[in-house]
Amino acid sequence: MKYILVTGGVISGIGKGIIASSIGTILKSCGLRVTAIKIDPYINIDAGTFSPYEHGEVFVLNDGGEVDLDLGNYERFLDINLYKDNNITTGKIYQHVINKERRGDFLGKTVQVVPHITDAVQEWVMNQAMVPVDGHKEEPQICVIEPSATGEQKTKPTQNSVRALRGLGLSPDLIVCRSSTPIEMAVKEKISMFCHVNPEQVICIHDVSSTYRVPVLLEEQGIVKYFKERLDLPIGDSANNLLFKWRNMADRYERLQKTCSIALVGKYTKLRDCYASVFKALEHSALAINHKLNLMYIDSIDLEHSTEAEDPVRFHEAWQKLCKADGVLVPGGFGIRGTLGKLQAISWARSKKIPFLGVCLGMQLAVIEFARNCLNLKDADSTEFEPNASFPVVIDMPEHNPGNMGGTMRLGIRRTVFKTENSILRKLYGDVPFVEERHRHRYEVNPSLIKQFEQSDLSFVGQDVDGERMEIIELANHPYFVGVQFHPEFSSRPMKPSPPYLGLLLAATGNLNAFLQQGCKLSSSDRYSDASDDSFSEPRIAELEIS
């Protein structure tokens, strides 16, 4: 097992997660099995109870782990499935050591930070690094570790960061410099001289049009050859077909001409990281159909009548955005704030036949909106918002016994069974009898009421294996009105877009029917087309499967 640590001491949020993911992608493209671990300093056991405005999106893994959003980058770039133990927190380590002490594992010794906590971190990393993550059940060969770190091309911060690292007894093998523009050779040589590394050990990554370009930039600067020599890796001096596909994908992204506008109506729109996976899933799907994504973030409160009275300009600007959108997405969330605005956006999409996708809470609100405006059940509501609702369309159905806030949700991968062959989403998934997607929710559509909806064209085409939990809705006589209780964005990959999101983008660009008529077949070509043609008379979707 070889370990690669990606750390940084200049500022937080400068791109260490993307660098770590890109390094892993390059090494995987060389035929190596790669895993990744993120180490966070906070005392929380996991990210499950964080406010989105604190740390951005909570990413959910197959095993139900609620983790840092950087693990989402690792999974998307490397096309792997990580586990909750791939995200280490101070809280997890201390809880692990204290539990051992309570069991008497330390035989009465005084438990201290050194050596017990430090040993626990090392033991955890070494054990988790050996866990297969790519579906082949083979142990990884490389583990990329990212310890969390709490304008002009300045070199002083870099020097101070390296000095602090050396103070811990560590010397960097590579220094990756992030900048807005390509770094001048004089700056690179100065970093080399003052940080005591060779010039070829200074890697420069400037701002690029998309993160898909980062692995390509790293490979062009000889990083494969360096890793091969430094770690004695059994690889050639260059990457294989996978990186060639990444390069083509980055080239295609930069050449896109046609645009598709999607309105994301949510309550956490002030911080884009709150919807990081949703944005990526939309981007993956847009790229697959040769369109540039124009994602318009709309604060759902701005669509409400209370905003019209308080701030008419903001109200009208929000509605102008919604009216200009080719498609509407209402993502997951918690709490009553902003739900009226989301309901109005859903009503607009349904009545005006604008393509719509509702995810988790977005699906539940679509059911509530339909009940109120199509079934004339004006008191229809969710018990999350109104515990004593006279017509509870959405109810609390905990999968586990209620207890601490961190253990009451339905989390992780679950199976959804299609109840009919006449389903748009079933066709988009490849006409399979069931799918397995990740969940993160407490509330469900009330199963005792579904007959009233299905008599009025709203069908529950997907349910759990017991037929008790409603997983997928589809509205008849609409271009694309779909809701899913699960979070398909967590499984989307750059070369394998999520089917519900792909369906939204296809419908928003007017290509869904043609795609369905062709049997939802993706091109068998290994090449990415540079065309920005809308026509689906021949398969135009890029090769999306990594061979």
Side-chain angles (χ1 to χ4, degrees), residues 194-230:
F194 284 101
C195 295
H196 307 288
V197 296
N198 295 325
E200 59 268 23
Q201 292 173 268
V202 180
I203 306 295
C204 305
I205 302 295
H206 57 271
D207 288 355
V208 288
S209 59
S210 77
T211 54
Y212 308 128
R213 180 65 64 187
V214 177
V216 178
L217 287 179
L218 290 172
E219 195 267 344
E220 288 174 349
Q221 295 182 60
I223 201 169
V224 174
K225 182 180 180 181
Y226 182 84
F227 279 136
K228 176 187 176 183
E229 296 173 354
R230 183 68 179 85

Side-chain angles (χ1 to χ4, degrees), residues 3-33:
Y3 299 94
I4 298 174
L5 271 70
V6 180
T7 185
V10 180
I11 58 173
S12 181
I14 203 167
K16 296 186 297 297
I18 296 297
I19 295 297
S21 301
S22 299
I23 288 172
T25 300
I26 293 170
L27 294 174
K28 183 174 181 178
S29 76
C30 294
L32 297 171
R33 297 184 299 277

Side-chain angles (χ1 to χ4, degrees), residues 12 94 123 159 182 212 218 236 250 290 297-298 342 351 357 360 369 389 392 400 469 471 476 491 504 510 518 530 533:
S12 181
Y94 272 80
E123 179 185 346
Q159 296 173 42
Y212 308 128
L218 290 172
N290 294 311
Y297 293 87
I298 302 175
K342 294 176 185 178
S351 59
L357 175 63
C360 196
E369 188 278 332
H400 307 288
R469 300 173 189 268
E471 296 281 358
S491 302
L504 176 65
Q518 292 180 8
D530 287 331
D533 190 352

Side-chain angles (χ1 to χ4, degrees), residues 87-264:
N87 191 187
I88 302 173
T89 70
T90 300
K92 278 185 183 178
I93 293 297
Y94 272 80
Q95 184 183 60
H96 173 68
V97 172
I98 290 170
N99 288 341
K100 289 180 68 175
E101 185 274 331
R102 291 290 85 190
R103 291 197 306 265
D105 292 2
F106 296 114
L107 302 176
K109 292 181 179 178
T110 302
V111 179
Q112 302 180 81
V113 172
V114 180
H116 300 103
I117 295 296
T118 53
D119 285 353
V121 174
Q122 293 179 47
E123 179 185 346
W124 193 303
V125 168
M126 293 174 69
N127 290 338
Q128 194 60 29
M130 305 302 289
V131 177
V133 293
D134 60 1
H136 298 301
K137 306 303 180 186
E138 293 184 80
E139 289 184 0
Q141 298 163 288
I142 299 285
C143 179
V144 180
I145 303 171
E146 183 193 347
S148 185
T150 46
E152 272 182 278
Q153 292 180 2
K154 296 286 189 180
T155 63
K156 279 293 182 185
T158 305
Q159 296 173 42
N160 293 334
S161 177
V162 171
R163 187 179 299 115
L165 194 64
R166 291 185 185 279
L168 298 172
L170 300 172
S171 296
D173 292 293
L174 289 173
I175 297 175
V176 181
C177 302
R178 169 79 184 274
S179 61
S180 57
T181 57
I183 289 179
E184 300 169 2
M185 183 54 66
V187 175
K188 186 173 181 178
E189 290 174 347
K190 186 175 181 181
I191 292 171
S192 166
M193 179 174 64
F194 284 101
C195 295
H196 307 288
V197 296
N198 295 325
E200 59 268 23
Q201 292 173 268
V202 180
I203 306 295
C204 305
I205 302 295
H206 57 271
D207 288 355
V208 288
S209 59
S210 77
T211 54
Y212 308 128
R213 180 65 64 187
V214 177
V216 178
L217 287 179
L218 290 172
E219 195 267 344
E220 288 174 349
Q221 295 182 60
I223 201 169
V224 174
K225 182 180 180 181
Y226 182 84
F227 279 136
K228 176 187 176 183
E229 296 173 354
R230 183 68 179 85
L231 298 176
D232 192 24
L233 298 176
I235 56 176
D237 289 339
S238 60
N240 67 6
N241 190 44
L242 173 58
L243 199 65
F244 175 75
K245 291 182 178 181
W246 271 85
R247 182 179 286 107
N248 282 350
M249 182 169 61
D251 290 343
R252 287 181 61 246
Y253 184 92
E254 293 169 1
R255 295 172 186 168
L256 296 175
Q257 297 176 350
K258 295 185 180 296
T259 300
C260 180
S261 297
I262 301 294
L264 187 155

Side-chain angles (χ1 to χ4, degrees), residues 265-278:
V265 183
K267 61 188 285 188
Y268 305 118
T269 55
K270 292 181 178 63
L271 180 64
R272 303 290 172 88
D273 276 354
C274 295
Y275 299 112
S277 292
V278 170

Side-chain angles (χ1 to χ4, degrees), residues 432-444:
V432 293
F434 64 87
V435 295
E436 292 184 328
E437 293 279 9
R438 302 176 187 183
H439 293 67
R440 185 178 186 248
H441 62 99
R442 292 188 181 90
Y443 293 83
E444 309 270 1

